Amino acid sequence: MNKKPNVAIVGATGMVGHAFLKVLEERNFPVKDIRLLASGRSKGKKIKFCGNDFKVEELVKGSFKDIDIALFSAGAAISKEFAPLAVKAGAVVVDNSSAFRMDPGVPLVVPEVNPKAIQRHKGIIANPNCSTIQMVVVLKPLHDAARIKRIVVSSYQSASGWGKEAVDQLWAETEQIIKSRIQHPGSSIKVDGVKKVLPAQIAFNVIPQIDVFLPNRYTKEEMKMVNETRKIMEDDSIKITATCVRVGVFISHAEAVNIETEKKLTPEEATEILRHSAGVEVIDDISKEKYPLPIDAAGKDASFVGRIRADESVENGLNLWIVSDNLRKGAALNAVQIAELLIK
Ligand code: L14
């Protein structure tokens, strides 16, 4: 791979697209040339990268000529159609969508967890789901130390995971509720000129649905957490169950995670391991009421963990609280870290 690659961003005008550019800039990723791709609607729009203006181009079949690395974040349908074309043109694709994650021929990579998996790529490397990434960064070191037998996770996910329109919905509903001072407008809330993209009111509310429902009564997001965790941890024996919930937060997902391990791990031992783990930051000082918060994690790189304590209802159990910026480690940062491995 070229040490100074030509990079294409597919979905350059979206929230993750924006984060891609920011992270590439911050990390001084050696970009030779950058091509910003989006739908025809954004064609001609100017976006700044490293001090220069770049014009957004319409994503078409021929968009990947001379591209070495293509970072995709425009949804699964676009990835399915265009990622194979990018590969044919000679690019390596890092794909943020769910399109290829569970494809046995496609590595699913979190650089702190399974960097070696990257070597098996045949042109496409999948970036895991945001909620999965932040959890496995914290759980892998504990798995290595004590073997995790079972995981029970409940997520508290921000609106930005869905994208810009969900963030707009949260703003608009919040403004309307504050103006009207009606605490419980119920499903009657209608905000003029704003598309309601989430399945219910999100301002001052929590919604136990992320993505669509599947025949087993779980949501697709919940099953992504189950299946992707096993694939990234390279251990199908881990039992895992998830409940994914949307909360009225703009950026950062939080997770209450319960694990049962084969070997006993005290909270102190777990904390010590996590203090020395790559990509993890422990914030756990209950005497000062310090623990990770979404508002503090936004804009940062780490997977933050706190509230580390024994699950006293079982022999070998721990409870943890994990928070991370879903647009960065959950998406753009993890993909750029993969790209860094590619050019190393
Ligand atoms: O599979 O709505 O990468 O918050 C992650 C978050 C899909 C949607 C994925 C959301 C997604 C999602």
Side-chain angles (χ1 to χ4, degrees):
M1 162 77 65
N2 216 325
K3 293 272 174 226
K4 205 163 187 246
N6 289 326
V7 177
I9 310 276
V10 179
T13 54
M15 295 193 87
V16 175
H18 179 77
F20 271 140
L21 296 173
K22 217 165 144 196
V23 171
L24 288 169
E25 235 178 73
E26 281 171 14
R27 297 172 75 87
N28 285 314
F29 188 89
V31 175
K32 184 153 159 236
D33 199 11
I34 197 148
R35 193 171 299 160
L36 306 180
L37 301 166
S39 74
R41 274 172 290 134
S42 303
K43 191 174 153 184
K45 215 177 134 188
K46 277 192 204 126
I47 296 182
K48 260 207 174 26
F49 177 65
C50 291
N52 297 313
D53 275 332
F54 289 85
K55 265 202 188 132
V56 175
E57 298 173 30
E58 181 176 1
L59 173 64
V60 292
K61 286 195 174 78
S63 289
F64 300 98
K65 191 176 178 306
D66 297 325
I67 292 296
D68 300 299
I69 297 180
L71 305 174
F72 273 69
S73 193
I78 295 289
S79 292
K80 277 185 192 144
E81 185 179 349
F82 288 94
L85 297 172
V87 175
K88 248 196 216 126
V92 177
V93 169
V94 184
D95 182 36
N96 247 299
S97 82
S98 60
F100 305 105
R101 288 178 189 151
M102 293 314 295
D103 184 328
V106 174
L108 182 65
V109 178
V110 177
E112 291 88 345
V113 178
N114 61 337
K116 286 207 193 86
I118 222 176
Q119 293 162 6
R120 292 185 280 103
H121 85 78
K122 301 188 207 100
I124 300 175
I125 299 160
N127 201 60
N129 167 270
C130 36
S131 311
T132 309
I133 296 177
Q134 68 178 63
M135 182 173 79
V136 296
V137 168
V138 172
L139 294 190
K140 180 60 164 50
L142 303 180
H143 187 51
D144 290 342
R147 202 179 91 75
I148 295 174
K149 293 198 299 190
R150 181 164 184 256
I151 304 167
V152 181
V153 52
S154 300
S155 72
Y156 306 67
Q157 300 184 217
S158 67
S160 60
W162 198 97
K164 232 183 261 174
E165 288 167 319
V167 167
D168 287 345
Q169 184 184 333
L170 175 53
W171 274 120
E173 289 174 352
T174 305
E175 281 169 355
Q176 162 138 343
I177 290 166
I178 287 172
K179 252 194 279 158
S180 67
R181 296 190 69 85
I182 301 168
Q183 288 178 11
H184 301 287
S187 50
S188 67
I189 188 162
K190 269 207 199 71
V191 184
D192 293 337
V194 171
K195 205 158 103 193
K196 202 173 134 191
V197 291
L198 297 175
Q201 177 193 319
I202 186 56
F204 306 94
N205 203 11
V206 299
I207 309 171
Q209 179 189 351
I210 294 183
D211 212 333
V212 295
F213 281 101
L214 299 171
N216 68 353
R217 303 183 67 86
Y218 283 77
T219 61
K220 205 168 162 191
E221 182 82 351
E222 288 161 350
M223 294 317 292
K224 284 182 230 168
M225 288 199 79
V226 171
N227 297 320
E228 294 180 23
T229 297
R230 291 200 188 116
K231 180 168 175 178
I232 302 161
M233 305 259 272
E234 294 169 354
D235 190 341
D236 281 337
S237 74
I238 302 174
K239 292 183 189 161
I240 164 162
T241 186
T243 302
C244 291
V245 179
R246 183 89 59 195
V247 294
V249 165
F250 288 109
I251 293 176
S252 297
H253 295 347
E255 294 168 345
V257 182
N258 175 270
I259 59 168
E260 257 188 273
T261 55
E262 192 171 88
K263 251 181 70 188
K264 178 140 201 97
L265 210 51
T266 66
E268 294 73 25
E269 286 165 343
T271 302
E272 188 55 23
I273 290 166
L274 293 173
R275 280 198 197 287
H276 299 100
S277 298
V280 178
E281 205 171 304
V282 179
I283 302 178
D284 197 9
D285 185 354
I286 53 172
S287 72
K288 295 200 179 75
E289 299 178 347
K290 289 283 179 221
Y291 28 72
L293 294 173
I295 52 169
D296 297 328
K300 305 223 175 76
D301 286 348
S303 206
F304 295 92
V305 59
R307 299 294 322 278
I308 303 165
R309 62 208 192 276
D311 173 356
E312 295 173 341
S313 72
V314 292
E315 199 63 47
N316 299 333
L318 285 173
N319 280 308
L320 313 132
W321 174 250
I322 301 170
V323 182
S324 190
D325 183 327
N326 54 296
L327 300 172
R328 289 176 72 95
K329 186 56 188 168
L333 171 61
N334 196 74
V336 171
Q337 286 176 302
I338 292 171
E340 287 170 349
L341 291 176
L342 283 171
I343 59 165
K344 217 165 78 182

